[in-house]
PDB file of all heavy atoms in Angstrom:
ATOM      1  N   LEU A   1       0.896  -1.160  -0.035  1.00 98.00           N
ATOM      2  CA  LEU A   1      -0.040   0.031  -0.041  1.00 98.00           C
ATOM      3  C   LEU A   1       0.863   1.268  -0.053  1.00 98.00           C
ATOM      4  O   LEU A   1       1.712   1.402   0.911  1.00 98.00           O
ATOM      5  CB  LEU A   1      -0.930   0.049   1.179  1.00 98.00           C
ATOM      6  CG  LEU A   1      -1.998   1.119   1.247  1.00 98.00           C
ATOM      7  CD1 LEU A   1      -2.952   0.864   0.184  1.00 98.00           C
ATOM      8  CD2 LEU A   1      -2.672   1.186   2.489  1.00 98.00           C
ATOM      9  N   THR A   2       0.775   2.136  -1.072  1.00 96.00           N
ATOM     10  CA  THR A   2       1.536   3.311  -1.152  1.00 96.00           C
ATOM     11  C   THR A   2       0.602   4.443  -0.943  1.00 96.00           C
ATOM     12  O   THR A   2      -0.431   4.598  -1.718  1.00 96.00           O
ATOM     13  CB  THR A   2       2.229   3.410  -2.504  1.00 96.00           C
ATOM     14  OG1 THR A   2       3.076   2.157  -2.798  1.00 96.00           O
ATOM     15  CG2 THR A   2       3.017   4.673  -2.584  1.00 96.00           C
ATOM     16  N   CYS A   3       0.934   5.354  -0.130  1.00 94.00           N
ATOM     17  CA  CYS A   3       0.065   6.452   0.279  1.00 94.00           C
ATOM     18  C   CYS A   3       0.820   7.882   0.025  1.00 94.00           C
ATOM     19  O   CYS A   3       2.062   7.880   0.180  1.00 94.00           O
ATOM     20  CB  CYS A   3      -0.509   6.474   1.599  1.00 94.00           C
ATOM     21  SG  CYS A   3      -1.505   4.900   1.963  1.00 94.00           S
ATOM     22  N   SER A   4       0.055   8.845  -0.365  1.00 89.00           N
ATOM     23  CA  SER A   4       0.652  10.119  -0.685  1.00 89.00           C
ATOM     24  C   SER A   4       0.148  11.265   0.236  1.00 89.00           C
ATOM     25  O   SER A   4      -1.053  11.230   0.578  1.00 89.00           O
ATOM     26  CB  SER A   4       0.355  10.484  -2.207  1.00 89.00           C
ATOM     27  OG  SER A   4       0.954   9.483  -2.991  1.00 89.00           O
ATOM     28  N   TRP A   5       0.961  12.099   0.570  1.00 83.00           N
ATOM     29  CA  TRP A   5       0.595  13.352   1.235  1.00 83.00           C
ATOM     30  C   TRP A   5       0.922  14.531   0.337  1.00 83.00           C
ATOM     31  O   TRP A   5       2.032  14.588  -0.240  1.00 83.00           O
ATOM     32  CB  TRP A   5       1.417  13.519   2.464  1.00 83.00           C
ATOM     33  CG  TRP A   5       0.910  12.467   3.538  1.00 83.00           C
ATOM     34  CD1 TRP A   5       0.192  12.649   4.660  1.00 83.00           C
ATOM     35  CD2 TRP A   5       1.273  11.176   3.745  1.00 83.00           C
ATOM     36  NE1 TRP A   5      -0.053  11.607   5.418  1.00 83.00           N
ATOM     37  CE2 TRP A   5       0.646  10.649   4.832  1.00 83.00           C
ATOM     38  CE3 TRP A   5       2.060  10.292   2.969  1.00 83.00           C
ATOM     39  CZ2 TRP A   5       0.778   9.216   5.209  1.00 83.00           C
ATOM     40  CZ3 TRP A   5       2.240   8.931   3.245  1.00 83.00           C
ATOM     41  CH2 TRP A   5       1.569   8.468   4.452  1.00 83.00           C
ATOM     42  N   SER A   6      -0.007  15.514   0.241  1.00 76.00           N
ATOM     43  CA  SER A   6       0.200  16.597  -0.576  1.00 76.00           C
ATOM     44  C   SER A   6       1.068  17.656   0.069  1.00 76.00           C
ATOM     45  O   SER A   6       0.866  18.003   1.171  1.00 76.00           O
ATOM     46  CB  SER A   6      -1.087  17.284  -1.011  1.00 76.00           C
ATOM     47  OG  SER A   6      -0.946  18.334  -1.819  1.00 76.00           O
ATOM     48  N   GLY A   7       2.058  18.223  -0.752  1.00 71.00           N
ATOM     49  CA  GLY A   7       2.737  19.447  -0.292  1.00 71.00           C
ATOM     50  C   GLY A   7       3.904  19.052   0.545  1.00 71.00           C
ATOM     51  O   GLY A   7       4.321  17.835   0.892  1.00 71.00           O
ATOM     52  N   GLY A   8       4.510  20.081   1.260  1.00 74.00           N
ATOM     53  CA  GLY A   8       5.611  19.913   2.042  1.00 74.00           C
ATOM     54  C   GLY A   8       5.813  21.086   2.998  1.00 74.00           C
ATOM     55  O   GLY A   8       4.914  21.928   3.084  1.00 74.00           O
ATOM     56  N   THR A   9       6.959  21.236   3.717  1.00 78.00           N
ATOM     57  CA  THR A   9       7.231  22.258   4.583  1.00 78.00           C
ATOM     58  C   THR A   9       8.447  22.936   4.074  1.00 78.00           C
ATOM     59  O   THR A   9       9.532  22.381   3.816  1.00 78.00           O
ATOM     60  CB  THR A   9       7.516  21.733   5.993  1.00 78.00           C
ATOM     61  OG1 THR A   9       6.338  21.027   6.453  1.00 78.00           O
ATOM     62  CG2 THR A   9       7.850  22.875   7.009  1.00 78.00           C
ATOM     63  N   ALA A  10       8.411  24.340   3.964  1.00 82.00           N
ATOM     64  CA  ALA A  10       9.545  25.176   3.582  1.00 82.00           C
ATOM     65  C   ALA A  10      10.000  25.809   4.856  1.00 82.00           C
ATOM     66  O   ALA A  10       9.202  26.690   5.463  1.00 82.00           O
ATOM     67  CB  ALA A  10       9.242  26.100   2.544  1.00 82.00           C
ATOM     68  N   SER A  11      11.257  25.717   5.189  1.00 84.00           N
ATOM     69  CA  SER A  11      11.826  26.405   6.483  1.00 84.00           C
ATOM     70  C   SER A  11      12.671  27.444   6.040  1.00 84.00           C
ATOM     71  O   SER A  11      13.623  27.235   5.226  1.00 84.00           O
ATOM     72  CB  SER A  11      12.649  25.425   7.268  1.00 84.00           C
ATOM     73  OG  SER A  11      11.765  24.332   7.769  1.00 84.00           O
ATOM     74  N   VAL A  12      12.516  28.728   6.468  1.00 87.00           N
ATOM     75  CA  VAL A  12      13.204  29.830   6.040  1.00 87.00           C
ATOM     76  C   VAL A  12      13.943  30.492   7.307  1.00 87.00           C
ATOM     77  O   VAL A  12      13.353  30.458   8.430  1.00 87.00           O
ATOM     78  CB  VAL A  12      12.235  30.937   5.380  1.00 87.00           C
ATOM     79  CG1 VAL A  12      11.250  31.369   6.323  1.00 87.00           C
ATOM     80  CG2 VAL A  12      13.092  32.218   5.014  1.00 87.00           C
ATOM     81  N   SER A  13      15.139  30.964   7.176  1.00 88.00           N
ATOM     82  CA  SER A  13      15.857  31.606   8.210  1.00 88.00           C
ATOM     83  C   SER A  13      16.563  32.878   7.660  1.00 88.00           C
ATOM     84  O   SER A  13      16.758  32.978   6.471  1.00 88.00           O
ATOM     85  CB  SER A  13      16.920  30.636   8.773  1.00 88.00           C
ATOM     86  OG  SER A  13      17.863  30.285   7.896  1.00 88.00           O
ATOM     87  N   TRP A  14      16.894  33.755   8.626  1.00 89.00           N
ATOM     88  CA  TRP A  14      17.404  35.086   8.214  1.00 89.00           C
ATOM     89  C   TRP A  14      18.307  35.631   9.186  1.00 89.00           C
ATOM     90  O   TRP A  14      18.434  35.041  10.330  1.00 89.00           O
ATOM     91  CB  TRP A  14      16.217  36.017   7.990  1.00 89.00           C
ATOM     92  CG  TRP A  14      15.388  36.185   9.180  1.00 89.00           C
ATOM     93  CD1 TRP A  14      15.407  37.047  10.202  1.00 89.00           C
ATOM     94  CD2 TRP A  14      14.152  35.389   9.452  1.00 89.00           C
ATOM     95  NE1 TRP A  14      14.480  36.934  11.114  1.00 89.00           N
ATOM     96  CE2 TRP A  14      13.605  35.866  10.697  1.00 89.00           C
ATOM     97  CE3 TRP A  14      13.419  34.454   8.798  1.00 89.00           C
ATOM     98  CZ2 TRP A  14      12.477  35.402  11.307  1.00 89.00           C
ATOM     99  CZ3 TRP A  14      12.343  33.914   9.331  1.00 89.00           C
ATOM    100  CH2 TRP A  14      11.845  34.333  10.587  1.00 89.00           C
ATOM    101  N   VAL A  15      18.928  36.749   8.834  1.00 87.00           N
ATOM    102  CA  VAL A  15      19.806  37.481   9.855  1.00 87.00           C
ATOM    103  C   VAL A  15      19.184  38.656  10.188  1.00 87.00           C
ATOM    104  O   VAL A  15      18.750  39.485   9.348  1.00 87.00           O
ATOM    105  CB  VAL A  15      21.195  37.882   9.133  1.00 87.00           C
ATOM    106  CG1 VAL A  15      21.972  38.668  10.088  1.00 87.00           C
ATOM    107  CG2 VAL A  15      22.013  36.558   8.760  1.00 87.00           C
ATOM    108  N   ALA A  16      18.948  38.992  11.600  1.00 88.00           N
ATOM    109  CA  ALA A  16      18.179  40.108  12.052  1.00 88.00           C
ATOM    110  C   ALA A  16      19.065  41.388  11.936  1.00 88.00           C
ATOM    111  O   ALA A  16      20.245  41.348  12.106  1.00 88.00           O
ATOM    112  CB  ALA A  16      17.846  39.857  13.456  1.00 88.00           C
ATOM    113  N   PRO A  17      18.348  42.418  11.616  1.00 88.00           N
ATOM    114  CA  PRO A  17      19.202  43.798  11.488  1.00 88.00           C
ATOM    115  C   PRO A  17      19.564  44.260  12.966  1.00 88.00           C
ATOM    116  O   PRO A  17      18.887  43.844  13.940  1.00 88.00           O
ATOM    117  CB  PRO A  17      18.158  44.819  10.893  1.00 88.00           C
ATOM    118  CG  PRO A  17      16.757  44.232  11.357  1.00 88.00           C
ATOM    119  CD  PRO A  17      16.983  42.659  11.189  1.00 88.00           C
ATOM    120  N   THR A  18      20.648  45.015  13.064  1.00 87.00           N
ATOM    121  CA  THR A  18      21.100  45.464  14.417  1.00 87.00           C
ATOM    122  C   THR A  18      21.167  47.000  14.506  1.00 87.00           C
ATOM    123  O   THR A  18      21.328  47.560  15.580  1.00 87.00           O
ATOM    124  CB  THR A  18      22.436  44.887  14.776  1.00 87.00           C
ATOM    125  OG1 THR A  18      23.305  45.182  13.585  1.00 87.00           O
ATOM    126  CG2 THR A  18      22.414  43.342  14.826  1.00 87.00           C
ATOM    127  N   THR A  19      20.966  47.674  13.331  1.00 84.00           N
ATOM    128  CA  THR A  19      21.033  49.111  13.252  1.00 84.00           C
ATOM    129  C   THR A  19      19.919  49.738  12.550  1.00 84.00           C
ATOM    130  O   THR A  19      19.362  49.041  11.672  1.00 84.00           O
ATOM    131  CB  THR A  19      22.391  49.671  12.780  1.00 84.00           C
ATOM    132  OG1 THR A  19      22.492  49.176  11.485  1.00 84.00           O
ATOM    133  CG2 THR A  19      23.568  49.168  13.509  1.00 84.00           C
ATOM    134  N   ASN A  20      19.605  50.992  12.737  1.00 84.00           N
ATOM    135  CA  ASN A  20      18.636  51.636  11.977  1.00 84.00           C
ATOM    136  C   ASN A  20      19.253  52.254  10.748  1.00 84.00           C
ATOM    137  O   ASN A  20      20.482  52.119  10.558  1.00 84.00           O
ATOM    138  CB  ASN A  20      18.065  52.942  12.887  1.00 84.00           C
ATOM    139  CG  ASN A  20      17.125  52.410  13.936  1.00 84.00           C
ATOM    140  OD1 ASN A  20      16.162  51.699  13.723  1.00 84.00           O
ATOM    141  ND2 ASN A  20      17.503  52.690  15.115  1.00 84.00           N
ATOM    142  N   GLU A  21      18.432  52.780   9.834  1.00 81.00           N
ATOM    143  CA  GLU A  21      19.061  53.324   8.607  1.00 81.00           C
ATOM    144  C   GLU A  21      19.973  54.380   8.713  1.00 81.00           C
ATOM    145  O   GLU A  21      20.909  54.441   8.025  1.00 81.00           O
ATOM    146  CB  GLU A  21      17.753  53.912   7.778  1.00 81.00           C
ATOM    147  CG  GLU A  21      18.183  54.193   6.332  1.00 81.00           C
ATOM    148  CD  GLU A  21      16.985  54.731   5.485  1.00 81.00           C
ATOM    149  OE1 GLU A  21      16.217  55.418   6.118  1.00 81.00           O
ATOM    150  OE2 GLU A  21      16.900  54.400   4.386  1.00 81.00           O
ATOM    151  N   ASP A  22      19.818  55.207   9.944  1.00 81.00           N
ATOM    152  CA  ASP A  22      20.854  56.176  10.121  1.00 81.00           C
ATOM    153  C   ASP A  22      22.162  55.730  10.815  1.00 81.00           C
ATOM    154  O   ASP A  22      22.995  56.572  11.140  1.00 81.00           O
ATOM    155  CB  ASP A  22      20.207  57.344  10.900  1.00 81.00           C
ATOM    156  CG  ASP A  22      19.677  56.917  12.243  1.00 81.00           C
ATOM    157  OD1 ASP A  22      20.063  55.766  12.622  1.00 81.00           O
ATOM    158  OD2 ASP A  22      19.096  57.570  13.012  1.00 81.00           O
ATOM    159  N   GLY A  23      22.270  54.392  10.966  1.00 83.00           N
ATOM    160  CA  GLY A  23      23.389  53.914  11.666  1.00 83.00           C
ATOM    161  C   GLY A  23      23.276  53.739  13.124  1.00 83.00           C
ATOM    162  O   GLY A  23      24.255  53.120  13.798  1.00 83.00           O
ATOM    163  N   SER A  24      22.291  54.202  13.652  1.00 87.00           N
ATOM    164  CA  SER A  24      22.126  54.145  15.182  1.00 87.00           C
ATOM    165  C   SER A  24      21.749  52.663  15.559  1.00 87.00           C
ATOM    166  O   SER A  24      21.210  51.986  14.655  1.00 87.00           O
ATOM    167  CB  SER A  24      20.953  55.084  15.695  1.00 87.00           C
ATOM    168  OG  SER A  24      19.790  54.829  15.129  1.00 87.00           O
ATOM    169  N   ASP A  25      22.023  52.383  16.815  1.00 88.00           N
ATOM    170  CA  ASP A  25      21.650  50.980  17.249  1.00 88.00           C
ATOM    171  C   ASP A  25      20.116  50.776  17.273  1.00 88.00           C
ATOM    172  O   ASP A  25      19.357  51.705  17.551  1.00 88.00           O
ATOM    173  CB  ASP A  25      22.165  50.822  18.650  1.00 88.00           C
ATOM    174  CG  ASP A  25      23.630  50.609  18.678  1.00 88.00           C
ATOM    175  OD1 ASP A  25      24.273  50.496  17.707  1.00 88.00           O
ATOM    176  OD2 ASP A  25      24.260  50.919  19.790  1.00 88.00           O
ATOM    177  N   LEU A  26      19.754  49.610  16.748  1.00 89.00           N
ATOM    178  CA  LEU A  26      18.255  49.224  16.695  1.00 89.00           C
ATOM    179  C   LEU A  26      17.946  48.599  18.200  1.00 89.00           C
ATOM    180  O   LEU A  26      18.367  47.487  18.362  1.00 89.00           O
ATOM    181  CB  LEU A  26      18.013  48.145  15.544  1.00 89.00           C
ATOM    182  CG  LEU A  26      16.681  47.689  15.420  1.00 89.00           C
ATOM    183  CD1 LEU A  26      15.541  48.726  15.340  1.00 89.00           C
ATOM    184  CD2 LEU A  26      16.673  46.610  14.399  1.00 89.00           C
ATOM    185  N   LEU A  27      17.163  49.352  18.821  1.00 91.00           N
ATOM    186  CA  LEU A  27      16.871  48.924  20.225  1.00 91.00           C
ATOM    187  C   LEU A  27      15.470  48.490  20.539  1.00 91.00           C
ATOM    188  O   LEU A  27      15.123  47.889  21.518  1.00 91.00           O
ATOM    189  CB  LEU A  27      17.256  50.130  21.252  1.00 91.00           C
ATOM    190  CG  LEU A  27      18.641  50.696  21.181  1.00 91.00           C
ATOM    191  CD1 LEU A  27      18.774  51.905  22.156  1.00 91.00           C
ATOM    192  CD2 LEU A  27      19.705  49.514  21.578  1.00 91.00           C
ATOM    193  N   ASP A  28      14.699  48.697  19.460  1.00 92.00           N
ATOM    194  CA  ASP A  28      13.211  48.384  19.661  1.00 92.00           C
ATOM    195  C   ASP A  28      12.701  47.359  18.643  1.00 92.00           C
ATOM    196  O   ASP A  28      11.573  47.421  18.262  1.00 92.00           O
ATOM    197  CB  ASP A  28      12.423  49.686  19.657  1.00 92.00           C
ATOM    198  CG  ASP A  28      12.554  50.430  18.329  1.00 92.00           C
ATOM    199  OD1 ASP A  28      13.375  50.050  17.523  1.00 92.00           O
ATOM    200  OD2 ASP A  28      11.706  51.346  18.102  1.00 92.00           O
ATOM    201  N   LEU A  29      13.635  46.497  18.152  1.00 93.00           N
ATOM    202  CA  LEU A  29      13.196  45.455  17.344  1.00 93.00           C
ATOM    203  C   LEU A  29      12.165  44.550  18.062  1.00 93.00           C
ATOM    204  O   LEU A  29      12.362  44.102  19.097  1.00 93.00           O
ATOM    205  CB  LEU A  29      14.388  44.531  16.840  1.00 93.00           C
ATOM    206  CG  LEU A  29      14.081  43.352  15.992  1.00 93.00           C
ATOM    207  CD1 LEU A  29      13.523  43.906  14.544  1.00 93.00           C
ATOM    208  CD2 LEU A  29      15.329  42.486  15.740  1.00 93.00           C
ATOM    209  N   ALA A  30      11.048  44.301  17.410  1.00 94.00           N
ATOM    210  CA  ALA A  30       9.839  43.579  18.009  1.00 94.00           C
ATOM    211  C   ALA A  30       9.638  42.168  17.404  1.00 94.00           C
ATOM    212  O   ALA A  30       9.375  41.232  18.145  1.00 94.00           O
ATOM    213  CB  ALA A  30       8.571  44.355  17.821  1.00 94.00           C
ATOM    214  N   GLY A  31       9.898  42.045  16.107  1.00 94.00           N
ATOM    215  CA  GLY A  31       9.784  40.743  15.533  1.00 94.00           C
ATOM    216  C   GLY A  31       9.863  40.860  13.984  1.00 94.00           C
ATOM    217  O   GLY A  31      10.460  41.711  13.502  1.00 94.00           O
ATOM    218  N   PHE A  32       9.279  39.794  13.336  1.00 95.00           N
ATOM    219  CA  PHE A  32       9.451  39.628  11.941  1.00 95.00           C
ATOM    220  C   PHE A  32       8.069  39.203  11.258  1.00 95.00           C
ATOM    221  O   PHE A  32       7.230  38.662  12.025  1.00 95.00           O
ATOM    222  CB  PHE A  32      10.530  38.649  11.553  1.00 95.00           C
ATOM    223  CG  PHE A  32      11.808  38.943  12.210  1.00 95.00           C
ATOM    224  CD1 PHE A  32      12.143  38.392  13.522  1.00 95.00           C
ATOM    225  CD2 PHE A  32      12.789  39.751  11.696  1.00 95.00           C
ATOM    226  CE1 PHE A  32      13.342  38.666  14.144  1.00 95.00           C
ATOM    227  CE2 PHE A  32      14.028  40.094  12.362  1.00 95.00           C
ATOM    228  CZ  PHE A  32      14.243  39.474  13.519  1.00 95.00           C
ATOM    229  N   LYS A  33       7.990  39.540  10.097  1.00 95.00           N
ATOM    230  CA  LYS A  33       6.918  38.882   9.266  1.00 95.00           C
ATOM    231  C   LYS A  33       7.505  38.147   8.099  1.00 95.00           C
ATOM    232  O   LYS A  33       8.376  38.696   7.394  1.00 95.00           O
ATOM    233  CB  LYS A  33       6.000  40.067   8.719  1.00 95.00           C
ATOM    234  CG  LYS A  33       5.171  40.710   9.762  1.00 95.00           C
ATOM    235  CD  LYS A  33       4.225  41.804   9.155  1.00 95.00           C
ATOM    236  CE  LYS A  33       3.388  42.419  10.239  1.00 95.00           C
ATOM    237  NZ  LYS A  33       2.382  43.474   9.687  1.00 95.00           N
ATOM    238  N   VAL A  34       6.895  37.019   7.834  1.00 94.00           N
ATOM    239  CA  VAL A  34       7.350  36.179   6.626  1.00 94.00           C
ATOM    240  C   VAL A  34       6.126  36.174   5.723  1.00 94.00           C
ATOM    241  O   VAL A  34       4.996  35.793   6.040  1.00 94.00           O
ATOM    242  CB  VAL A  34       7.636  34.797   7.053  1.00 94.00           C
ATOM    243  CG1 VAL A  34       8.071  33.962   5.797  1.00 94.00           C
ATOM    244  CG2 VAL A  34       8.739  34.701   8.099  1.00 94.00           C
ATOM    245  N   LEU A  35       6.372  36.743   4.498  1.00 95.00           N
ATOM    246  CA  LEU A  35       5.326  36.746   3.437  1.00 95.00           C
ATOM    247  C   LEU A  35       5.731  35.737   2.380  1.00 95.00           C
ATOM    248  O   LEU A  35       6.804  35.714   1.955  1.00 95.00           O
ATOM    249  CB  LEU A  35       5.295  38.231   2.818  1.00 95.00           C
ATOM    250  CG  LEU A  35       4.636  39.342   3.722  1.00 95.00           C
ATOM    251  CD1 LEU A  35       5.720  39.780   4.696  1.00 95.00           C
ATOM    252  CD2 LEU A  35       4.187  40.475   2.852  1.00 95.00           C
ATOM    253  N   TYR A  36       4.674  35.045   2.027  1.00 95.00           N
ATOM    254  CA  TYR A  36       4.996  34.004   0.906  1.00 95.00           C
ATOM    255  C   TYR A  36       3.813  33.653   0.100  1.00 95.00           C
ATOM    256  O   TYR A  36       2.639  33.978   0.627  1.00 95.00           O
ATOM    257  CB  TYR A  36       5.469  32.714   1.619  1.00 95.00           C
ATOM    258  CG  TYR A  36       4.644  32.064   2.569  1.00 95.00           C
ATOM    259  CD1 TYR A  36       3.789  31.002   2.358  1.00 95.00           C
ATOM    260  CD2 TYR A  36       4.605  32.579   3.970  1.00 95.00           C
ATOM    261  CE1 TYR A  36       3.034  30.432   3.249  1.00 95.00           C
ATOM    262  CE2 TYR A  36       3.772  31.903   4.938  1.00 95.00           C
ATOM    263  CZ  TYR A  36       3.053  30.810   4.720  1.00 95.00           C
ATOM    264  OH  TYR A  36       2.296  30.181   5.612  1.00 95.00           O
ATOM    265  N   GLY A  37       3.948  33.214  -1.014  1.00 94.00           N
ATOM    266  CA  GLY A  37       2.977  32.854  -1.946  1.00 94.00           C
ATOM    267  C   GLY A  37       3.439  32.155  -3.243  1.00 94.00           C
ATOM    268  O   GLY A  37       4.663  31.857  -3.239  1.00 94.00           O
ATOM    269  N   THR A  38       2.682  31.950  -4.089  1.00 93.00           N
ATOM    270  CA  THR A  38       2.944  31.125  -5.302  1.00 93.00           C
ATOM    271  C   THR A  38       3.452  32.026  -6.425  1.00 93.00           C
ATOM    272  O   THR A  38       3.753  31.516  -7.619  1.00 93.00           O
ATOM    273  CB  THR A  38       1.739  30.264  -5.837  1.00 93.00           C
ATOM    274  OG1 THR A  38       0.656  31.134  -6.081  1.00 93.00           O
ATOM    275  CG2 THR A  38       1.554  29.142  -4.810  1.00 93.00           C
ATOM    276  N   SER A  39       3.573  33.352  -6.239  1.00 94.00           N
ATOM    277  CA  SER A  39       4.005  34.335  -7.208  1.00 94.00           C
ATOM    278  C   SER A  39       4.751  35.429  -6.468  1.00 94.00           C
ATOM    279  O   SER A  39       4.261  35.812  -5.334  1.00 94.00           O
ATOM    280  CB  SER A  39       2.954  34.814  -8.035  1.00 94.00           C
ATOM    281  OG  SER A  39       3.395  35.907  -8.862  1.00 94.00           O
ATOM    282  N   THR A  40       5.692  36.068  -7.050  1.00 92.00           N
ATOM    283  CA  THR A  40       6.357  37.203  -6.388  1.00 92.00           C
ATOM    284  C   THR A  40       5.380  38.447  -6.295  1.00 92.00           C
ATOM    285  O   THR A  40       5.584  39.322  -5.450  1.00 92.00           O
ATOM    286  CB  THR A  40       7.598  37.661  -7.137  1.00 92.00           C
ATOM    287  OG1 THR A  40       7.307  37.898  -8.592  1.00 92.00           O
ATOM    288  CG2 THR A  40       8.765  36.567  -7.023  1.00 92.00           C
ATOM    289  N   ASP A  41       4.390  38.415  -7.087  1.00 92.00           N
ATOM    290  CA  ASP A  41       3.318  39.449  -7.129  1.00 92.00           C
ATOM    291  C   ASP A  41       2.097  39.027  -6.278  1.00 92.00           C
ATOM    292  O   ASP A  41       1.275  39.864  -6.243  1.00 92.00           O
ATOM    293  CB  ASP A  41       2.910  39.738  -8.600  1.00 92.00           C
ATOM    294  CG  ASP A  41       4.080  40.173  -9.462  1.00 92.00           C
ATOM    295  OD1 ASP A  41       4.890  40.949  -8.981  1.00 92.00           O
ATOM    296  OD2 ASP A  41       4.097  39.825 -10.695  1.00 92.00           O
TER     297      ASP A  41
END
């Protein structure tokens, strides 16, 4: 008996920023959002 499961799991990781755009330390980082879909648009 051969059974199939649809789809899979994609694990993504990243490097968190440590400074603001002006070069000052980033002290109020709260979290992240991962956006994903089947098209870049």
